[in-house]
Amino acid sequence: MKRIGKYNLMIVLLSWLSLSSTVVSAPVPNPLPEEITREFIYEKAPFPSCHASTLAETSDGTIVAAWFGGTYEKHPDVGIWFSRRVAGKWTTPVELANGIQYKKSDGSYHRHPCWNPVLHATPSGKLLLFYKCGPTPRTWWGMLMESSDGGKTWTKPHRLPEGIDGPVKNKPVLLSNGDLLCGSSTEYDGWRLHFEITKDDGKTWRRIGPIPSKGKISAIQPSILIHKDGTLQAVGRTRQKKVFTTWSKNQGRTWSPVELLDLPNPSAGTDALTLRDGRHLLVYNHTPNRRSPLNVALSKDGKQWTGARVLENEAGEYSYPAVIQSRDGKIHISYTWKRKKIRYVVLDPKKLASKRIKEGAWPQDVRKWDKVVYKKDKGGDLSLSIFKPQGWKANDRRGAIVFFFGGGWVSGSPEQFYPHCHHLAGKGMVAISAQYRTRNSHGTLPDKCVIDGKSAMRWVRKNAVALGIDSKRIAAGGGSAGGHVATATGLLTQFEPDGEELSISSQPNALVLFNPVYDNGPDGYGYDRVKDFYKEFSPFHNITGKAPPSIVFLGTKDRLVPVKTAEAFRDKMAQVGVKSDLHLYKNESHGFFNYGRRGNIAYRDTVQKMTDFLEKLGYFENRPQEAG
């Protein structure tokens, strides 16, 4: 029997894989090389609002999180919730603490809201959970509970000594002398900064402060950094629209007067830590007026900072971050996402690119994108997130693509296609992710999604010159219902917006479709919602020779889009002389293509095929406009 060499064996295996399943890991670079994980800690919860998350790593390496959740901040039903990340998944949130004080004679409870949990894992293996309880930040008091098994079971909470609040928002740091130094603050007599020290896991305490300031600086919620020479630095939130700083050279016993760094702050919580390589990392809103964007900055000396990462740049609130570094060196960040969820992101510090922040201005070429409003609506303006390639110039004529998110015409976010946009911008395209009206965001029906899709495509073509785009090379893409919207812009002749220049075509020149729900007939998706006008609304029922070429990705186990539907679409396109490539993925379900799913194997393969498709159509070429 002839022996097969290692190289030939690899070829045989890859060939077998390509026959048994089209999901083969292709050489597609990670669009966000520094980002390892991006997910929500929970998708559904028994509370509508959440805020102020905290993270810790237990003795066995498990990442745990806590936050407060309830009807809304300050409501008496707000409690402290907790989850553990086990085998790559977050456990169902459980409520660890509430503000119940006593039971009334009528059987109801006298209850106060809970606030700002802070987790800390001790060297002995205990997990401490500090939090606050009380009607308001001016009148709250500190609480503490403990776990000796990594958060599976907990002691009953007990109140901290009078005048001790515990760490008010951000994690404490363990100093070389054994002190657990907690950054704290009060709000009952203005915003005043102080520190608290315990040597015995919260049994006894020493309070230091309040800390004076240079001028009238209102500062709270400090994070503590440790410099190589042992100097401590605290940074945090102010009412003066900048991040504060203060320094200690004696293990936190005394501190310099509080002053301001040249970093903006919209009076929103921050967090920071010193990495093992000696750099300092700060997570904060780099803006003086709102809680978006949410940014990551780095510094070697705590004074000069460089922009490293934009975590969020959409409209909405992204705030109150928590950040830790696990024993394997990874950076873990959690933060409030629109007060509805807690987002969790893991970064590789070795891959964080950075550029100096000058005079408080965020560097323009560090993971940022432009946002423009393309349509006004009384329920909220609609925007486009525009990703431009490096070296972009106003006289460029580049290929472009507009992506539409999925969500059943009910929900969803443009963020779904940010990784695709990053990738294609890296290839030289102008890549755009569009917001459009949905039932949850604007109370609209599916037809408005198509109308907005056409508005977005028309706006991009109308502004092609200003965007450096070739108006004859504008593709549309999308997933699920977003795939429907993209296909609709290419095939449907109705559902045109009122008051727009219809002489400017909204039809894309190519389509990139991820499990699109493009058959809306009696046997198709969403028929019950569009049955009165499905013949005009369903792309499958409106295929003509004027349709643009397309590439379609579908899992064979997709419950919303049967394989026979995709094959019929392909065949109908071929009958009218239009090319439509169909790529089936064995045993994959709906949404399989998304970034972050199952090690990104399917993501990378679909992106590679998308790249090949667009490259063959010439979308990566830049054909600059002639001057004069």
Side-chain angles (χ1 to χ4, degrees):
M1 181 175 178
K2 191 174 181 178
R3 296 183 67 184
I4 301 176
K6 290 184 179 179
Y7 175 78
N8 290 328
L9 178 60
M10 180 62 70
I11 298 297
V12 171
L13 286 172
L14 288 176
S15 300
W16 178 84
L17 281 171
S18 65
L19 290 172
S20 62
S21 171
T22 58
V23 183
V24 179
S25 183
V28 177
N30 188 338
L32 307 171
E34 71 277 16
E35 186 172 289
I36 300 169
T37 301
R38 170 177 286 256
E39 62 193 20
F40 291 116
I41 290 179
Y42 62 86
E43 290 292 343
K44 296 181 180 179
F47 47 83
S49 179
C50 63
H51 198 37
S53 61
T54 176
L55 295 171
E57 181 184 22
T58 64
S59 57
D60 66 358
T62 300
I63 302 298
V64 295
W67 61 93
F68 71 70
T71 300
Y72 54 81
E73 184 176 355
K74 294 184 180 181
H75 192 283
D77 69 5
V78 172
I80 304 300
W81 294 79
F82 179 81
S83 180
R84 302 164 61 243
R85 197 168 191 266
V86 180
K89 294 183 179 181
W90 290 96
T91 59
T92 301
V94 294
E95 189 177 37
L96 295 185
N98 57 52
I100 293 176
Q101 303 300 301
Y102 56 85
K103 190 173 184 178
K104 300 179 183 178
S105 58
D106 62 1
S108 64
Y109 292 93
H110 181 71
R111 180 169 177 168
H112 293 309
C114 297
W115 313 73
N116 295 14
V118 177
L119 288 164
H120 172 68
T122 70
S124 65
K126 283 197 300 185
L127 191 59
L128 306 182
L129 173 60
F130 299 91
Y131 66 97
K132 270 59 64 185
C133 183
T136 70
R138 292 183 179 87
T139 56
W140 68 25
W141 54 88
M143 301 289 292
L144 173 60
M145 54 196 306
E146 301 178 4
S147 173
S148 58
D149 55 11
K152 297 175 185 176
T153 61
W154 293 83
T155 63
K156 289 184 178 180
H158 66 270
R159 186 167 177 168
L160 295 176
E162 188 69 27
I164 297 297
D165 298 285
V168 76
K169 174 196 173 292
N170 298 321
K171 62 195 171 298
V173 297
L174 187 64
L175 302 181
S176 58
N177 63 0
D179 287 352
L180 186 66
L181 179 62
C182 304
S184 198
S185 53
T186 57
E187 301 181 35
Y188 59 81
D189 187 22
W191 282 16
R192 306 185 73 182
L193 194 67
H194 72 272
F195 296 87
E196 298 169 358
I197 294 174
T198 177
K199 286 180 172 290
D200 48 18
D201 297 340
K203 294 181 177 63
T204 59
W205 293 86
R206 175 181 177 181
R207 179 183 171 117
I208 296 168
I211 311 303
S213 66
K214 290 184 178 180
K216 295 182 179 179
I217 298 176
S218 299
I220 57 172
Q221 300 174 351
S223 297
I224 302 165
L225 306 175
I226 304 176
H227 290 258
K228 291 180 179 179
D229 65 355
T231 298
L232 304 179
Q233 179 187 10
V235 295
R237 170 184 180 181
T238 75
R239 280 178 169 159
Q240 279 64 45
K241 297 191 174 184
K242 288 190 175 183
V243 175
F244 79 78
T245 185
T246 177
W247 303 78
S248 173
K249 292 186 175 295
N250 56 6
Q251 300 279 285
R253 265 55 179 178
T254 60
W255 292 82
S256 66
V258 175
E259 52 190 321
L260 299 176
L261 291 170
D262 197 13
L263 296 174
N265 174 258
S267 185
T270 68
D271 197 13
L273 84 164
T274 300
L275 300 174
R276 291 194 188 90
D277 62 13
R279 293 180 296 170
H280 311 292
L281 183 144
L282 173 67
V283 188
Y284 68 115
N285 299 107
H286 189 92
T287 172
N289 298 315
R290 57 192 184 279
R291 295 185 174 187
S292 177
L294 185 65
N295 307 65
V296 177
L298 293 167
S299 177
K300 293 181 179 179
D301 61 7
K303 300 174 183 177
Q304 300 292 334
W305 292 82
T306 59
R309 184 78 165 82
V310 180
L311 294 171
E312 301 282 356
N313 198 36
E314 287 289 308
E317 178 180 345
Y318 312 99
S319 63
Y320 263 57
V323 58
I324 63 171
Q325 186 174 28
S326 53
R327 287 188 283 275
D328 61 7
K330 295 174 184 176
I331 299 168
H332 303 255
I333 302 171
S334 64
Y335 53 89
T336 300
W337 189 87
K338 298 183 178 181
R339 294 276 177 151
K340 297 178 181 179
K341 298 180 182 179
I342 302 297
R343 175 156 273 174
Y344 170 72
V345 175
V346 182
L347 303 178
D348 182 346
K350 296 178 182 178
K351 295 181 180 179
L352 281 172
S354 64
K355 188 174 181 180
R356 184 174 174 182
I357 299 171
K358 297 179 181 179
E359 298 179 352
W362 187 260
Q364 291 302 305
D365 58 351
V366 178
R367 295 284 181 213
K368 194 173 181 179
W369 51 95
D370 299 328
K371 272 188 67 175
V372 298
V373 172
Y374 74 90
K375 191 172 186 176
K376 296 281 188 179
D377 185 83
K378 61 183 180 181
D381 294 345
L382 304 178
S383 64
L384 301 174
S385 298
I386 303 174
F387 297 72
K388 296 175 181 176
Q390 196 165 16
W392 176 93
K393 299 182 182 64
N395 69 332
D396 287 348
R397 289 182 68 222
R398 298 178 181 269
I401 187 167
V402 182
F403 286 106
F404 298 94
F405 58 82
W409 310 306
V410 174
S411 61
S413 168
E415 295 177 9
Q416 179 183 10
F417 283 99
Y418 281 8
H420 297 76
C421 288
H422 276 300
H423 171 78
L424 292 176
K427 292 290 185 179
M429 290 180 65
V430 174
I432 300 168
S433 193
Q435 179 187 22
Y436 61 90
R437 288 174 291 177
T438 64
R439 188 180 71 190
N440 285 358
S441 68
H442 289 74
T444 52
L445 296 175
D447 61 310
K448 298 300 188 294
C449 303
V450 175
I451 290 173
D452 292 344
K454 292 196 171 192
S455 293
M457 295 300 298
R458 184 171 285 113
W459 188 96
V460 171
R461 183 164 276 119
K462 180 179 180 180
N463 293 278
V465 172
L467 293 170
I469 286 173
D470 183 348
S471 63
K472 296 180 180 179
R473 288 184 293 151
I474 303 175
S480 191
H484 169 273
V485 172
T487 315
T489 65
L491 277 66
L492 303 189
T493 58
Q494 299 193 37
F495 305 99
E496 293 291 350
D498 295 331
E500 292 189 4
E501 298 178 54
L502 300 186
S503 60
I504 300 174
S505 175
S506 62
Q507 185 182 43
N509 304 103
L511 294 171
V512 178
L513 308 174
F514 301 89
N515 47 237
V517 290
Y518 45 20
D519 178 6
N520 313 115
D523 297 323
Y525 178 83
Y527 174 72
D528 58 325
R529 287 179 277 171
V530 300
K531 59 185 177 183
D532 293 338
F533 51 88
Y534 84 88
K535 291 182 180 179
E536 297 80 26
F537 184 82
S538 172
F540 182 82
H541 294 78
N542 288 272
I543 295 173
T544 71
K546 295 181 180 180
S550 63
I551 185 170
V552 180
F553 305 98
L554 181 70
T556 61
K557 292 292 183 70
D558 195 311
R559 295 183 179 180
L560 302 183
V561 187
V563 169
K564 65 179 182 180
T565 297
E567 291 174 337
F569 181 90
R570 176 198 60 195
D571 295 344
K572 287 184 71 173
M573 292 280 276
Q575 289 169 11
V576 297
V578 180
K579 185 175 178 58
S580 179
D581 297 333
L582 173 61
H583 297 276
L584 297 176
Y585 287 74
K586 189 175 181 180
N587 296 325
E588 293 289 353
S589 59
H590 201 70
F592 73 99
F593 65 91
N594 281 301
Y595 178 75
R597 290 279 187 95
R598 295 173 57 181
N600 287 325
I601 295 175
Y603 165 81
R604 292 178 186 277
D605 190 72
T606 55
V607 165
Q608 183 62 61
K609 288 182 171 62
M610 172 187 71
T611 301
D612 295 342
F613 172 76
L614 293 170
E615 186 173 27
K616 288 177 182 178
L617 295 176
Y619 274 71
F620 299 151
E621 299 174 17
N622 181 19
R623 304 163 185 170
Q625 304 167 55
E626 295 289 337

